[in-house]
Amino acid sequence: MPDILKFIDYNKSRYEEELKEFLRIPSISTAPEHKGDIRRCAEWVAEEMKRIGLNNVKVMETAGHPVVYGDRLDAVQDAQTVLFYGHYDVQPVDPLNLWTNPPFEPTIIGDNIYARGSVDDKGQVLMQLKAIEAHLRTSGAMPVNVKVIIEGEEEIGSPNLDKFLEDNKNLLACDTVLISDTPMFGYDQPSLCYGLRGLCYMQVEVTGPNRDLHSGFFGGAVENPINALAMMISKLKDDKGKILIDGFYENVMPISERERTEYKKLPFDQKAFMKDLETDATPGESGYTELERMWARPTLDCNGIWGGFTGEGAKTVLPSKAYAKISMRLVPNQTPDEIAKKFEDFFNKIKPAGVTIKVTDLHGGMPAITPIDSIGMKAATKALAEVFGKEPFLTREGGSIPIVNSFSSILGAPTVLMGFGLPDQNAHSPNEKMNLKNFHRGVKCGALFYQNLV
Ligand code: BES
Ligand code: MN
Ligand code: MN
């Protein structure tokens, strides 16, 4: 076995201890009360980058949470330059009562480490830092040039990262971007992802009467904003799962015949999928398979809906207000701005008399497709095959990493999405976990990726 792989095997328990330290910091980017923790986490990442031997490490300010930068640029002349990107921020933890162990007290049970951020994305960030460390500790050098940026706002849509890329074009110039923030198809089945969906996240506020009313006294002559909101939501899709917003599909890139053929070969197990979720159907847009619907077709979902009386027991009230959060996953070549406008226009068109509505665009992210034949994809394919003993599947994913599109449009670099999560690892849910065997395999894949670029 090459020395670098031996080194990685030898250091497994140290990696796990370091991962625990990283996971103990509650770096929830959306929560103002965690601003100090976010800063502490950025500083932890900067210290870790220095420890592993990166140069020029700095915590760089943005209008929001900071980006941590480091590099190692002493490879031989004409070597490739890789930019590794990840995020140190995490999602909120609610509902807290559903966690078996506290979210920021990492706990190893069997092959998994449980904590918020374990798979999304701290585990996968640390695995790539350990891959760089393994090169620097065993040979004293990287086979290629490497730059690293770890940001703190991915989970809120990376609102300041485009500007950061624009302002630091030279600093970040590279041939390939590497990201580990996507799932594998299955525990033993490595995958390379070449497409991500975008996102358009909206909020609708519906106002009926100017105050809450007695539903007996007034009911029958006043529009109820909850009823009106439910009616409007029901008009967003037909019963075949087609979205009815005018012009919604206008810019949708169709799934190619090649993709449809390839996806049909992938062993998607509908029964196992339903069993895992304890549901009895996999409904969605008619005419498309589950994988096509989850990876390459746009969707619309309510994320939350509230208003009126929701306490225990009954209160006869005709409420003044109702609210919904509604998001749409986008595919190339839809854009969040275009879809936000179409969404707002549609709501204004279907709004019944007796209520007013306020539609707010909360945040968005661009969809992305990355080339499947780049030098980076070849290096990653080889690395995964070497470590897992299997060729990776080529997949797309339904989630979003908004900055991938900007790496191509601003830096002109293709991205390689080599991720080590699993579908059952509860990203964004209670009891998030990372499979430690795949963590260690991921360190090896990262190390071999750089080697394979030479
Ligand atoms: N790591 C995920 C993205 C992801 C999830 C890719 C599942 C592939 C499959 C990322 O951290 C994430 O959660 N992104 C958000 C982005 C949003 C806040 C703009 C998402 O997809 O909801
Ligand atoms: Mn992520
Ligand atoms: Mn996430």
Side-chain angles (χ1 to χ4, degrees):
M1 203 197 302
D3 282 353
I4 191 159
L5 298 184
K6 274 193 209 139
F7 176 88
I8 292 167
D9 276 335
Y10 182 78
N11 281 283
K12 281 181 182 169
S13 52
R14 175 172 64 87
Y15 297 162
E16 292 174 13
E17 288 312 306
E18 291 169 354
L19 179 57
K20 282 187 191 163
E21 256 186 48
F22 193 10
L23 291 172
R24 282 192 195 107
I25 309 170
S27 48
I28 303 171
S29 47
T30 194
E33 67 274 23
H34 283 287
K35 213 168 165 221
D37 295 317
I38 277 274
R39 168 83 34 188
R40 197 151 59 81
C41 199
E43 270 151 22
W44 189 93
V45 172
E47 284 311 308
E48 172 63 15
M49 283 192 195
K50 288 181 198 158
R51 264 199 301 276
I52 66 170
L54 289 180
N55 300 326
N56 301 314
V57 173
K58 43 195 170 185
V59 174
M60 297 176 74
E61 299 307 323
T62 71
H65 302 316
V67 177
V68 191
Y69 174 88
D71 64 31
R72 188 79 188 212
L73 303 173
D74 46 11
V76 292
Q77 232 194 339
D78 299 330
Q80 292 270 313
T81 299
V82 174
L83 174 66
F84 172 67
Y85 160 88
H87 61 95
Y88 66 81
D89 65 321
V90 301
Q91 285 276 330
V93 296
D94 56 286
L96 191 56
N97 61 314
L98 294 183
W99 286 76
T100 309
N101 299 289
F104 297 108
E105 290 175 25
T107 310
I108 296 178
I109 302 172
D111 285 341
N112 290 296
I113 184 161
Y114 288 81
R116 172 57 86 229
S118 52
V119 69
D120 187 9
D121 183 30
K122 288 176 175 174
Q124 300 196 68
V125 164
L126 192 70
M127 132 195 341
Q128 291 297 346
L129 295 180
K130 296 295 108 177
I132 294 170
E133 181 191 63
H135 278 291
L136 296 177
R137 291 273 186 90
T138 53
S139 70
M142 286 300 288
V144 294
N145 295 313
V146 58
K147 301 176 177 179
V148 177
I149 51 169
I150 311 296
E151 73 147 320
E153 299 193 303
E154 196 277 342
E155 299 292 9
I156 51 172
S158 304
N160 297 295
L161 204 58
D162 271 0
K163 179 163 189 301
F164 183 85
L165 297 193
E166 295 280 5
D167 291 350
N168 296 286
K169 262 192 189 169
N170 288 337
L171 182 71
L172 304 175
C174 61
D175 300 296
T176 299
V177 176
L178 173 66
I179 301 181
S180 290
D181 194 22
T182 46
M184 317 201 306
F185 197 86
Y187 170 68
D188 272 321
Q189 181 54 61
S191 321
L192 282 170
C193 174
Y194 68 93
L196 294 163
R197 286 195 290 194
L199 186 69
C200 172
Y201 202 121
M202 307 295 290
Q203 179 160 320
V204 182
E205 176 182 334
V206 184
T207 308
N210 63 359
R211 56 189 190 278
D212 285 5
L213 302 172
H214 189 294
S215 69
F217 195 108
F218 291 96
V222 175
E223 181 60 278
N224 177 322
I226 300 180
N227 295 8
L229 178 58
M231 184 277 287
M232 289 188 278
I233 288 173
S234 76
K235 291 194 170 166
L236 292 170
K237 281 193 209 182
D238 70 13
D239 56 10
K240 291 204 165 69
K242 188 174 158 219
I243 296 159
L244 299 174
I245 295 171
D246 299 305
F248 185 83
Y249 292 97
E250 203 174 348
N251 296 317
V252 166
M253 186 178 86
I255 313 175
S256 71
E257 279 313 311
R258 183 198 67 80
E259 290 176 300
R260 299 199 91 165
T261 313
E262 289 300 319
Y263 299 168
K264 293 223 167 73
K265 290 189 210 154
L266 300 179
F268 176 75
D269 184 341
Q270 190 208 20
K271 291 225 168 69
F273 182 91
M274 293 191 298
K275 186 159 179 259
D276 177 44
L277 302 177
E278 297 181 50
T279 59
D280 63 359
T282 54
E285 190 184 5
S286 73
Y288 295 94
T289 65
E290 287 86 354
L291 289 183
E292 288 169 348
R293 285 188 251 123
M294 290 190 288
W295 291 353
R297 293 295 297 167
T299 54
L300 180 150
D301 282 285
C302 293
N303 298 261
I305 179 163
W306 70 103
F309 179 68
T310 56
E312 211 161 301
K315 175 188 175 196
T316 46
V317 62
L318 202 162
S320 166
K321 298 259 190 195
Y323 303 82
K325 290 186 190 279
I326 302 174
S327 69
M328 290 152 283
R329 292 284 167 176
L330 313 180
V331 300
N333 296 305
Q334 294 177 297
T335 69
D337 289 347
E338 162 224 338
I339 294 298
K341 168 97 177 41
K342 289 174 176 169
F343 179 95
E344 184 173 0
D345 289 349
F346 188 70
F347 261 86
N348 281 319
K349 185 176 97 176
I350 61 176
K351 178 194 84 64
V355 295
T356 57
I357 57 172
K358 189 172 138 205
V359 179
T360 313
D361 182 355
L362 292 184
H363 67 80
M366 287 287 280
I369 289 279
T370 64
I372 55 176
D373 54 359
S374 62
I375 300 175
M377 282 296 259
K378 291 192 179 118
T381 304
K382 191 154 169 263
L384 290 165
E386 284 168 321
V387 172
F388 285 85
K390 260 187 207 168
E391 289 291 312
F393 285 169
L394 269 182
T395 61
R396 281 166 75 169
E397 286 295 339
S400 313
I401 306 177
I403 204 62
V404 171
N405 181 271
S406 314
F407 284 136
S408 129
S409 65
I410 300 175
L411 297 184
T415 295
V416 173
L417 294 157
M418 179 169 73
F420 300 93
L422 285 175
D424 72 349
Q425 296 202 315
N426 299 329
H428 296 200
S429 301
N431 303 317
E432 178 178 348
K433 61 184 186 235
M434 168 91 222
N435 183 293
L436 287 168
K437 292 219 165 112
N438 280 344
F439 175 92
H440 299 298
R441 294 202 276 200
V443 180
K444 290 182 179 174
C445 290
L448 295 182
F449 171 76
Y450 293 114
Q451 204 112 65
N452 293 342
L453 278 172
V454 175

